[in-house]
Amino acid sequence: MEVSSEPVVATLEMSQSTNKDDEPFSSDGDYESLPPHVSVTTHMTAGAVAGILEHTVMYPVDSVKTRMQSLQPDPNAQYRNVYEALKRIIQTEGVFRPLRGLNITMMGAGPAHALYFACYERVKRSLSDIIQNGGNSHLANGVAGSVATVLHDAVMNPAEVVKQRMQMYNSPYRGLWDCVQTVTRTEGIRAFYRSYSTQLTMNIPFQAVHFITYELMQEQLNPHRHYHPGSHIVSGAAAGAISAAVTTPLDVCKTLLNTQENVALNSMNISGHLTGMANAFRTVYRLGGMAAFFKGVQARVIYQMPSTAIAWSVYEFFKYFLTKQQME
């Protein structure tokens, strides 16, 4: 794909942009390497919008992924592929069933991604100044993505627990608040962070691979770091697919910890609640062997590719647009 032949290539017009000292806006100050006076609000606003869109546009596929990762699914909830799953869910449970849990996801995604992108940009810039004298550093990109993930997951983990419990087949919860109240009453507040260590163990390598792949792709497709929608979409999709595939085993364990799948736990004679990543790994392996660690990998990649492409293209657009407004 010749990205350079795309008709849409937007850069900040250097002849029209001036800084507060009325000096021409230098080529080092394009939107990708934001000038110092651009506020953190720019990153947080762009990140929040990107995060909400990322999680909502492909949400039905995420619902399918949660069900396909079930270790001992109900016979009525066994699916061969994503398309068949969506078709059967809509036919048997209603057209809005794949959207169950979307409300809590949106409530968590906005603030989580605002912190995520703001932290990523700041840490990346600081480390790049130290490591490469302001140039692009893959180590800085990976570390920045990992640090940002710790903040992101602290906000998003409770939303993930509620979301996945509402996505499961025959979910006993009437709605969002019923789920929150029931889990709090029966399992305590700690239930919302039972999978936090597993989530971090999954997301830190996920985001490190994600950001490094994205930046590597950008170096090849968009070396001058202009606002170029095509390159952001392709780079985001590739980054999402690779990072999703390699971290699927950890995602299966996270789903088990979040949902506390009763049938699976009862078959293993596990009383109470399953806790800890090591216990989750053992349980998954005993119930399904190595193959069980890749349950739902197809749905996970199909969900993550467009989601990540959307997140990066929307984020880069808002970053470009908001920065251009401030420059003008």
Side-chain angles (χ1 to χ4, degrees):
M1 177 179 177
E2 288 288 337
V3 176
S4 59
S5 65
E6 292 278 345
V8 183
V9 180
T11 62
L12 290 174
E13 294 296 332
M14 303 308 171
S15 61
Q16 296 176 0
S17 299
T18 58
N19 62 21
K20 59 186 176 183
D21 296 320
D22 294 328
E23 290 294 324
F25 188 47
S26 70
S27 59
D28 290 331
D30 63 22
Y31 92 103
E32 183 69 25
S33 50
L34 291 174
H37 67 272
V38 174
S39 68
V40 177
T41 308
T42 296
H43 293 303
M44 297 191 78
T45 304
V49 174
I52 291 172
L53 285 174
E54 172 190 351
H55 284 280
T56 55
V57 172
M58 296 299 294
Y59 188 82
V61 179
D62 185 57
S63 294
V64 169
K65 183 215 72 170
T66 296
R67 290 193 180 195
M68 292 181 80
Q69 287 181 336
S70 175
L71 296 173
Q72 292 194 343
D74 186 282
N76 293 322
Q78 295 180 356
Y79 314 107
R80 290 191 300 271
N81 54 57
V82 175
Y83 174 75
E84 186 218 6
L86 279 174
K87 184 178 177 181
R88 280 176 54 191
I89 290 170
I90 291 171
Q91 286 177 342
T92 60
E93 301 175 54
V95 69
F96 293 111
R97 188 61 178 81
L99 299 177
R100 201 158 190 259
L102 178 59
N103 47 4
I104 186 64
T105 302
M106 292 178 67
M107 289 167 64
H113 279 71
L115 287 172
Y116 174 73
F117 279 105
C119 178
Y120 171 69
E121 292 286 357
R122 285 306 172 101
V123 174
K124 181 180 80 169
R125 168 168 294 208
S126 299
L127 290 179
S128 293
D129 287 342
I130 297 169
I131 299 170
Q132 292 279 22
N133 292 323
N136 185 44
S137 165
H138 299 311
L139 176 61
N141 298 334
V143 173
S146 299
V147 173
T149 298
V150 174
L151 284 178
H152 170 275
D153 287 354
V155 176
M156 199 64 192
N157 208 85
E160 281 281 318
V161 173
V162 175
K163 177 198 78 172
Q164 291 200 297
R165 292 196 180 208
M166 294 180 69
Q167 287 174 333
M168 292 295 282
Y169 180 74
N170 276 342
S171 172
Y173 308 105
R174 295 189 303 273
L176 163 61
W177 296 116
D178 178 49
C179 182
V180 172
Q181 290 170 347
T182 303
V183 171
T184 303
R185 185 176 65 252
T186 59
E187 302 176 43
I189 294 293
R190 292 181 63 182
F192 295 105
Y193 283 94
R194 191 179 283 134
S195 64
Y196 185 53
S197 59
T198 305
Q199 183 96 342
L200 283 178
T201 306
M202 175 185 74
N203 278 349
I204 287 177
F206 176 93
Q207 297 302 349
V209 172
H210 172 192
F211 281 112
I212 290 170
T213 304
Y214 182 82
E215 298 289 352
L216 278 171
M217 293 287 289
Q218 283 292 284
E219 282 184 358
Q220 300 300 314
L221 302 178
N222 187 17
H224 300 297
R225 300 305 180 101
H226 296 149
Y227 170 61
H228 196 306
S231 74
H232 301 315
I233 291 170
V234 172
S235 299
I242 294 169
S243 50
V246 300
T247 56
T248 295
L250 288 162
D251 192 53
V252 172
C253 294
K254 182 206 76 173
T255 297
L256 178 60
L257 289 170
N258 278 348
T259 59
Q260 297 290 305
E261 190 182 340
N262 288 328
V263 176
L265 298 185
N266 290 338
S267 70
M268 293 289 295
N269 295 319
I270 296 175
S271 58
H273 304 294
L274 184 69
T275 60
M277 185 173 63
N279 289 330
F281 262 96
R282 279 195 293 269
T283 303
V284 171
Y285 182 75
R286 288 174 182 171
L287 286 170
M290 290 302 296
F293 287 105
F294 289 92
K295 276 179 156 292
V297 64
Q298 178 198 45
R300 182 164 160 78
V301 171
I302 290 173
Y303 165 76
Q304 205 66 52
M305 280 185 71
S307 294
T308 312
I310 290 166
W312 274 112
S313 56
V314 171
Y315 174 68
E316 298 285 7
F317 167 75
F318 269 85
K319 193 166 72 169
Y320 165 77
F321 176 76
L322 293 171
T323 303
K324 186 177 180 181
Q325 292 293 101
Q326 292 185 6
M327 289 300 96
E328 292 177 347

